[in-house]
Amino acid sequence: MIEKRNFYINGAWVPPVNAHDHHVIDPSTEDPCAVISLGDQADTDAAVAAAKAAFPAWAATDPETRAGYVKAILAQYEARVDELAEAISIEMGAPIDMARSSQAPCLPWHLQNALEAMKEIEWIRPLGPHAPNDRIAMEPIGVVGLITPWNWPMNQVTLKVIPALLAGCTMVLKPSEESPLSSLLFAEFVHDAGVPAGVFNLLNGDGAGVGSQLSRHEDVAMISFTGSTRAGKAISMAAAETLKRVTLELGGKGANVIFADADEKAVKRGVLHCMNNSGQSCNAPTRMLVERSIYDQTVEAAAEIANSITVGPASEHGRHIGPVVNKSQWTKIQEMIEVGMNEGARLVAGGPGLPEGMNRGYYVRPTVFADVSNDMRIAQEEIFGPVLSIIPFEDEAEAIAIANDTPYGLTNYVQTQDGPRRNRMALALRSGMVEMNGKSRGAGSPFGGMKMSGRAREGGVWGIEEFLEVKAISGWAAE
């Protein structure tokens, strides 16, 4: 059993004021793998006070110096990457090979991209030739509260902490209590990189406790949150009391529009993307919209692909998917599979219950529904598990209508060899991101959505600017 009972506050590991133990569960076995402490108001106040005291000096540090500390964090990662992957694997169930190849490497990817993006920021810029004595100054917003989820822990920690550091903010990080081990290791990276005391602080806690306390705290200037839409609403309401800035990266129900001229790998690519990370990705393409002329063969192929996906423990090597994170998530997914069957969708792969031969662990059978109507709950609600809904469409106009008929707007996908149609679709789809023909977004591209998916823009220049205030200055003296 791993014991991680202390918090990282003001450059030191300190015990909580009042200990509230929480057991972290290994979802592959259902056994406790660690015990941590959850913070209360006194712990939150101490962390925020440390960040507040450190803010003036950190904000005044030149950007090159801040970048130097971030580079030192990268060096710590490179020395301990295997430790980080193992922590992620045990805490949230990512198969160890995936944790090493996809989960842990989110840290260097986003860190290096942020360093590149920082070079594009003009911290004090002229307003324009019409106003030679006006300047626009970009300044750090202050103390920020960072609340991150369990499904891609290092992805979200890095997308928040690194831009905040580069912007000149000080911070309190509250990672998910479901996957705290990787974040605690990240705090060691920050400490060993020599980041000044109080600039970065970490508290473990739950949403109702530390999460709400940070959201209401009068000395916190901003909350950056990634998680469920339900929690995002609660944070927005709590933060309204102090009129703090709130950036939200929430759920999704992405449409993957497959036209008859899609490339031969489009269906396989879509199914595997949906099932990746056991379906626990907000940008997963969970609705597959298929042109009617290729519908039957696509359903058959999707079922075959899903049935070929193996499920196994996170500790085993291989290309399988692991468990979902906890009993609550497992139960919700099972309920939604039953909902789909009761709504009249045609189950063509997977289904309720544990995979064959398993009687322990939060494993879900890769599941595919065909003949789904977009008004069904399985097409409208985020399931956050390896469950795919296939919906037919007649033409481009109907595909757009179905894809946009959702409360979410995070990522949509398009598969067609028709270039002009790709461009029309990309502009017509109401989402913060559109990816086409299997091509991922480039380095520095912002991640974020529209509608109930929140409106954060994480990554690239946009990700740093979210932590900056814009100050307008007139009467600037000529240099």
Side-chain angles (χ1 to χ4, degrees):
M1 179 81 70
I2 301 168
E3 293 197 10
K4 297 282 188 179
R5 299 177 184 270
N6 291 347
F7 302 149
Y8 187 73
I9 299 177
N10 205 27
W13 293 96
V14 298
V17 175
N18 294 305
H20 303 283
D21 284 350
H22 170 78
H23 285 89
V24 181
I25 304 300
D26 178 348
S28 293
T29 65
E30 302 184 37
D31 293 325
C33 63
V35 59
I36 62 171
S37 292
L38 301 182
D40 65 7
Q41 187 69 57
D43 301 302
T44 301
D45 290 344
V48 172
K52 182 180 179 181
F55 175 70
W58 183 248
T61 302
D62 65 87
E64 291 76 16
T65 300
R66 298 198 294 263
Y69 285 114
V70 166
K71 292 172 185 176
I73 293 172
L74 178 60
Q76 293 299 318
Y77 162 85
E78 290 170 343
R80 303 179 68 180
V81 57
D82 287 342
E83 260 185 278
L84 184 64
E86 289 165 7
I88 294 170
S89 182
I90 194 172
E91 69 188 357
M92 56 75 60
I96 186 61
D97 289 349
M98 183 214 175
R100 287 175 176 154
S101 65
S102 299
Q103 287 269 7
C106 289
L107 188 154
W109 171 254
H110 292 309
L111 186 150
Q112 290 166 334
N113 290 343
L115 286 171
E116 284 299 311
M118 188 185 187
K119 298 175 184 177
E120 300 180 35
I121 295 178
E122 195 174 358
W123 300 93
I124 300 177
R125 65 190 71 165
L127 177 63
H130 67 289
N133 299 115
D134 280 39
R135 295 293 184 270
I136 301 297
M138 307 298 289
E139 299 182 348
I141 192 170
V143 176
V144 296
L146 311 175
I147 303 175
T148 57
W150 45 261
N151 59 322
W152 286 90
M154 271 306 100
N155 184 72
Q156 292 308 132
V157 166
T158 312
L159 274 172
K160 296 183 191 301
V161 172
I162 298 303
L165 286 173
L166 294 175
C169 294
T170 57
M171 67 210 68
V172 180
L173 169 66
K174 189 208 84 66
S176 169
E177 68 275 23
E178 302 291 345
S179 58
L181 303 180
S182 56
S183 292
L184 288 161
L185 189 58
F186 179 85
E188 294 182 22
F189 297 173
V190 173
H191 178 83
D192 293 345
V195 174
V199 171
F200 170 88
N201 305 275
L202 181 146
L203 287 180
N204 282 315
D206 57 20
V210 172
S212 293
Q213 291 155 16
L214 286 172
S215 300
R216 293 192 302 265
H217 205 290
E218 63 182 8
D219 290 330
V220 173
M222 171 184 169
I223 293 289
S224 176
F225 170 77
T226 299
S228 71
T229 298
R230 174 195 54 78
K233 291 178 180 178
I235 286 170
S236 296
M237 293 175 68
E241 297 176 15
T242 52
L243 296 177
K244 56 173 55 66
R245 182 185 298 176
V246 178
T247 60
L248 303 173
E249 200 281 282
L250 307 175
K253 195 69 182 178
N256 184 12
V257 183
I258 301 181
F259 287 94
D261 67 343
D263 68 85
E264 61 182 10
K265 296 181 180 179
V267 176
K268 182 176 183 179
R269 189 166 62 236
V271 175
L272 294 180
H273 192 173
C274 174
M275 305 297 173
N276 185 45
N277 204 40
S278 302
Q280 299 171 120
S281 299
C282 51
N283 63 340
T286 52
R287 292 183 298 151
M288 182 176 283
L289 279 53
V290 181
E291 193 165 5
R292 180 74 69 177
S293 62
I294 60 166
Y295 179 75
D296 291 340
Q297 68 211 58
T298 298
V299 169
E300 183 178 343
E304 183 178 342
I305 294 160
N307 285 327
S308 72
I309 297 171
T310 57
V311 183
S315 58
E316 290 186 359
H317 294 280
R319 296 179 62 84
H320 59 286
I321 63 173
V324 296
V325 72
N326 58 28
K327 180 69 172 179
S328 175
Q329 286 295 124
W330 187 88
T331 300
K332 175 192 170 186
I333 295 164
Q334 298 301 313
E335 290 172 351
M336 289 303 294
I337 292 173
E338 295 284 357
V339 164
M341 296 168 66
N342 294 335
E343 285 182 314
R346 176 162 57 101
L347 184 68
V348 296
L354 290 167
E356 187 175 349
M358 292 182 167
N359 57 15
R360 191 169 174 80
Y362 305 126
Y363 301 100
V364 177
R365 300 168 67 192
T367 296
V368 178
F369 284 106
D371 304 346
V372 175
S373 170
N374 201 55
D375 59 0
M376 293 180 178
R377 286 181 61 194
I378 59 170
Q380 288 291 314
E381 298 179 22
E382 186 177 43
I383 299 172
F384 227 59
V387 181
L388 174 66
S389 297
I390 305 181
I391 304 170
F393 69 86
E394 298 294 340
D395 55 25
E396 183 178 326
E398 186 180 22
I400 293 168
I402 295 171
N404 287 341
D405 181 19
T406 171
Y408 296 103
L410 190 57
T411 316
N412 286 309
Y413 303 82
V414 178
Q415 320 296 328
T416 176
Q417 300 304 304
D418 185 331
R421 179 160 60 190
R422 284 204 307 274
N423 294 349
R424 290 194 303 270
M425 293 291 295
L427 296 176
L429 293 171
R430 294 288 296 164
S431 55
M433 298 170 285
V434 179
E435 298 184 9
M436 299 187 285
N437 288 355
K439 185 165 181 60
S440 299
R441 292 169 300 108
S445 176
F447 188 103
M450 301 178 180
K451 301 189 286 186
M452 300 291 277
S453 292
R455 289 174 173 81
R457 290 295 182 272
E458 297 186 321
V461 173
W462 297 270
I464 299 173
E465 288 183 342
E466 286 204 328
F467 294 99
L468 296 174
E469 295 277 29
V470 179
K471 177 185 286 184
I473 305 169
S474 63
W476 188 266
E479 298 178 359

